[in-house]
C-alpha cells in the first residue's frame, strides 16, 4: 500500500480537479508495475486515472450527502481492465464451465494488418484496418489487397510520410511512427502539450442543477452515449458504474465490433435511431432535452454535419455536459483526422519506445489498447467534474479528451524495467475475486472482470444486464 500523492499521474489529474485538498487516507493504491511485457507504467497510470474518477464521484457524493468515502484501486486489476475480452470475459459452456471467449478471425486479421510497416524512405507507417469501409479506404491508398504480404509490400513501395497524409486525405486512418521527441517537436504535439490531458470548458451560463440525496453518485443523471468501439463506450460504462442511466444510441447500418459491444455495454440500455431520417433525428433532439451528458465518439465534425455538434446541442439544452472523445484532441493541424488506439501509439512515440526497449529492430505496439481505456477513464472523470461544477455554479460545459493526449499522459509517467516476458494476465484466483457474473444475457451466461475501483459506501456496479444493440425504445426511464 502506498500514498497516492506519490503518483505524478494522480497529481496531474487533481490539478485539473482544482478542488479542496483531499482528506488524508481517502485514496489508496496497492501494487505496482510492470504487469505487461511493456516498459510503460500501464497499470499505475490506469490506477491513477480510476482513482481520480473515484475522487470526482466522491465530490458528487459529498454534494448529495455532505460526507466523503474511502477509495482504493489495485494496480494489477487496473492494468487488466485494458484486456478487453479474451480470458477477462468468459462464457459458460454446455457443461456449466466458464471458458475464455476466443478472439474472432476478423479481429485477428485486423491486428495482423494494423502494425508498423517500413516505407521506401526508411520510416515506418501504421495503417489501421478496423471496420470494413475504413480498411477498404486504406487498401485503396496503398494499392494493396487484404493480406499481410500485400500491405507490407505496398508500404515498402512508398514514402511512409507521404502515405500518412494520403491516408488522411482519403478519410482513412493511419499514422507515421515518430519518436517521442519528434512528436513533441511537431506542431500538433506542441499544441497538445500546451493543453491539459482533460479539457473542461464552461461555454455558457445557466442555473445550477442541484444534486439531491440519492443511492449513487450519479443517480438520476441521464447520459446519451453516441460512441462505438472502446474509448467512448468505456466513458459511458464508467458513468453507468456510478449509477447513471446510460442510453446507447446507434443505428442498424453502422458497423460494430461485437466483442467490443459486449464488453463495454454492461449496465447500459441500447436503442436504434438513424439521424439521417428526420423523424428519428427529431427523437434524438427530444432525448437531448432531458439529458445531462452527451458523449460524442464520432469522427470530428461527423455529428455536426447532422445538426448534433457541440454548438448545436449546447444551444438547445442549457446545462448540458458535452463530452468529445477522439484521436487527436481539441485543436492543432491534425484535429480533423480520425484515428484509433494504435494510431495514437504510433504518432506519439509509444510504438518507437516499445520496440526499442523490447530489443526489437522495429517499432512495436503495446500488448493492450491502453490509450482507449485510459481515454475512457479520463472522459468519465472530466464529465463528473463538470457535473459537480454545474451543481455548484451552473453552466453548460465541454469536456474534451483524446487518444493522443492519453498516450502523452502515459509517457509522462516514466518507464519501468524488468518487464520482458511477463504474461500480462491476472491469476485465476485474482480473476475470480474480481469477476462479475451476468446470467441470461443475449450473449449467454458471462463471467467478466468487474469494476476495479472500490468505494466504501457506493461500490461501483453494473445496474442491469448486458443488452443487445437496439433492444430498448429510444426513451428515458421514469425517475
Amino acid at each position: 500500500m502506498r500514498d497516492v500523492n506519490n503518483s505524478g499521474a494522480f497529481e496531474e489529474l487533481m490539478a485539473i480537479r482544482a478542488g479542496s485538498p483531499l482528506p488524508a487516507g481517502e485514496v489508496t493504491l496497492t501494487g505496482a508495475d510492470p504487469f505487461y511485457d511493456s516498459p510503460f507504467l500501464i497499470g499505475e497510470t490506469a490506477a491513477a486515472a480510476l482513482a481520480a474518477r473515484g475522487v470526482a464521484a466522491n465530490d458528487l457524493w459529498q454534494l448529495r450527502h455532505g460526507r466523503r468515502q474511502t477509495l482504493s484501486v489495485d494496480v494489477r486489476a487496473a492494468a487488466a481492465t485494458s484486456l478487453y475480452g479474451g480470458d477477462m470475459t468468459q462464457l459458460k459452456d454446455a457443461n456449466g464451465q466458464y471458458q475464455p471467449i476466443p478472439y474472432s478471425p476478423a479481429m485477428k486479421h485486423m491486428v495482423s494488418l494494423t502494425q508498423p510497416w517500413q516505407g521506401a524512405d526508411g520510416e515506418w507507417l501504421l495503417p489501421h484496418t478496423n471496420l470494413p469501409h475504413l480498411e477498404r479506404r486504406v487498401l485503396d491508398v496503398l494499392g494493396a489487397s487484404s493480406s499481410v504480404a500485400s500491405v507490407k509490400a505496398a508500404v515498402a513501395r512508398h514514402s511512409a510520410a507521404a502515405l500518412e497524409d494520403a491516408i488522411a486525405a482519403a478519410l482513412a486512418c493511419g499514422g507515421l511512427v515518430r519518436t517521442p521527441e519528434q512528436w513533441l517537436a511537431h506542431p500538433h504535439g506542441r499544441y497538445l502539450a500546451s493543453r491539459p490531458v482533460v479539457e473542461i470548458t464552461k461555454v455558457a451560463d445557466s442555473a445550477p442543477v442541484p444534486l439531491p440525496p440519492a443511492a449513487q453518485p450519479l443517480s438520476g443523471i441521464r447520459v446519451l452515449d453516441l460512441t462505438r468501439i472502446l474509448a467512448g463506450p468505456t466513458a459511458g460504462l464508467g458513468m453507468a458504474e456510478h449509477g447513471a442511466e446510460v442510453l446507447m444510441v446507434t443505428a442498424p447500418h453502422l458497423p460494430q465490433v461485437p466483442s467490443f459491444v459486449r464488453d463495454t455495454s454492461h449496465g447500459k440500455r441500447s436503442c436504434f435511431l438513424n439521424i439521417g431520417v428526420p423523424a428519428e433525428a427529431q427523437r434524438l433532439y427530444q432525448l437531448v432535452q432531458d439529458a445531462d451528458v452527451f458523449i460524442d465518439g464520432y469522427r470530428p465534425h461527423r455529428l455536426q454535419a447532422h445538426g448534433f455538434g457541440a454548438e448545436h446541442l449546447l444551444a438547445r439544452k442549457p446545462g448540458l455536459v458535452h463530452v468529445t472523445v477522439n484521436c487527436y484532441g481539441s485543436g492543432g493541424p491534425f484535429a480533423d483526422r480520425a484515428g484509433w488506439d494504435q494510431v495514437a501509439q504510433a504518432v506519439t512515440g509509444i510504438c518507437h519506445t516499445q520496440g526499442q526497449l523490447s530489443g526489437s529492430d522495429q517499432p512495436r505496439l503495446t500488448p493492450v489498447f491502453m490509450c482507449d481505456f485510459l481515454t475512457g477513464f479520463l472522459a468519465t472523470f472530466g464529465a463528473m467534474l463538470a457535473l459537480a461544477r454545474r451543481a455548484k455554479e451552473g453552466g453548460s460545459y465541454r469536456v474534451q479528451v483524446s487518444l493522443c493526449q492519453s498516450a502523452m499522459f502515459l509517457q509522462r509517467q516514466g518507464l519501468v524495467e524488468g518487464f520482458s516476458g511477463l504474461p500480462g494476465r491476472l491469476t485465476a484466483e485474482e480473476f475470480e475475486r474480481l469477476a462479475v457474473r451476468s446470467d441470461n444475457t443475449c450473449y449467454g451466461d458471462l463471467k467478466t472482470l468487474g469494476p476495479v475501483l472500490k468505494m466504501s459506501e457506493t461500490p461501483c456496479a453494473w445496474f442491469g444486464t448486458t443488452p443487445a444493440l437496439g433492444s430498448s425504445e429510444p426513451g428515458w426511464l421514469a425517475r
Side-chain angles (χ1 to χ4, degrees), residues 17-382:
R17 170 181 173 261
S20 302
L22 300 182
E26 177 170 306
V27 182
T28 301
L29 301 183
T30 56
D33 280 309
F35 180 81
Y36 292 110
D37 185 357
S38 175
F40 294 103
L41 295 169
I42 292 174
E44 293 182 36
T45 307
L50 286 168
R53 196 189 90 185
V55 170
N58 225 0
D59 290 342
L60 296 171
W61 188 245
Q62 185 173 21
L63 288 172
R64 290 185 185 276
H65 294 278
R67 63 180 185 273
R68 301 183 72 82
Q69 48 189 309
T70 56
L71 322 170
S72 64
V73 185
D74 178 78
V75 167
R76 286 177 58 82
T81 60
S82 299
L83 276 170
Y84 96 91
D87 51 4
M88 295 297 100
T89 300
Q90 301 179 6
L91 177 67
K92 185 189 289 186
D93 64 17
N95 297 319
Q97 301 298 311
Y98 285 92
Q99 303 293 342
I101 304 174
Y103 297 143
S104 69
M107 176 58 62
K108 292 178 180 178
H109 181 66
M110 182 278 288
V111 170
S112 72
L113 299 182
T114 304
Q115 298 291 333
W117 306 108
Q118 193 167 32
D121 55 358
E123 301 295 326
W124 295 81
L125 175 91
L126 184 140
H128 204 291
T129 61
N130 199 15
L131 302 182
H133 67 293
L134 296 178
E135 179 189 28
R136 184 69 266 154
R137 292 175 190 173
V138 167
L139 295 179
D140 286 347
V141 170
L142 297 179
S145 62
S146 187
S147 72
V148 167
S150 182
V151 169
K152 180 178 181 180
V155 174
R157 293 193 296 268
H158 298 88
S159 157
L163 281 176
E164 180 183 50
D165 290 336
I167 287 171
L171 300 182
C173 301
L176 184 70
V177 175
R178 295 173 173 83
T179 68
E181 295 75 20
Q182 287 171 333
W183 178 247
L184 291 175
H186 188 277
H188 199 87
R190 290 202 305 271
Y191 170 80
L192 292 182
S194 73
R195 311 296 299 170
V197 66
V198 182
E199 297 185 46
I200 306 173
T201 308
K202 184 177 182 181
V203 296
D205 292 323
S206 63
V209 181
L211 294 167
Q216 298 291 326
L218 288 178
S219 293
I221 296 297
R222 289 168 166 169
V223 180
L224 284 170
D225 181 352
L226 276 79
T227 68
R228 288 179 289 162
I229 313 301
L230 285 176
T234 297
L237 179 64
M239 303 201 78
E241 289 177 0
H242 292 290
E245 179 187 353
V246 181
L247 181 61
M248 298 185 291
V249 181
T250 186
H253 68 279
L254 294 176
Q256 302 275 0
V257 178
S259 57
F260 290 173
V261 175
R262 180 196 66 215
D263 290 344
T264 60
S265 299
H266 310 299
K268 303 179 185 180
R269 293 186 302 122
S270 172
C271 72
F272 285 149
L273 287 174
N274 182 352
I275 59 176
V277 176
E280 297 186 37
Q282 185 58 36
R283 183 67 191 121
L284 182 55
Y285 281 131
Q286 292 169 355
L287 291 173
V288 171
Q289 294 303 313
D290 292 316
D292 299 283
V293 179
F294 186 103
I295 310 175
D296 177 357
Y298 281 73
R299 173 189 291 274
H301 311 303
R302 182 71 177 136
L303 289 184
Q304 184 177 1
H306 289 273
F308 289 94
E311 297 79 6
H312 301 116
L313 298 177
L314 291 166
R316 277 178 170 264
K317 175 61 191 296
L320 185 68
V321 174
H322 186 281
V323 181
T324 301
V325 180
N326 61 30
C327 183
Y328 285 102
S330 61
F334 286 178
D336 291 341
R337 297 186 179 188
W340 307 82
D341 178 288
Q342 299 95 324
V343 176
Q345 289 193 39
V347 301
T348 64
I350 286 180
C351 273
H352 170 82
T353 302
Q354 177 76 35
Q356 183 183 58
L357 296 187
S358 297
S360 174
D361 59 357
Q362 67 181 66
R364 289 178 53 189
L365 293 163
T366 64
V368 286
F369 304 135
M370 179 59 199
C371 299
D372 271 322
F373 288 96
L374 184 56
T375 301
F377 301 157
L378 294 176
T380 308
F381 167 68

Side-chain angles (χ1 to χ4, degrees), residues 385-405:
L385 291 184
L387 287 169
R389 295 177 191 178
R390 186 186 74 161
K392 291 182 287 187
E393 64 184 71
S396 303
Y397 293 85
R398 289 205 69 182
V399 176
Q400 294 166 289
V401 295
S402 69
L403 301 173
C404 285
Q405 277 281 29

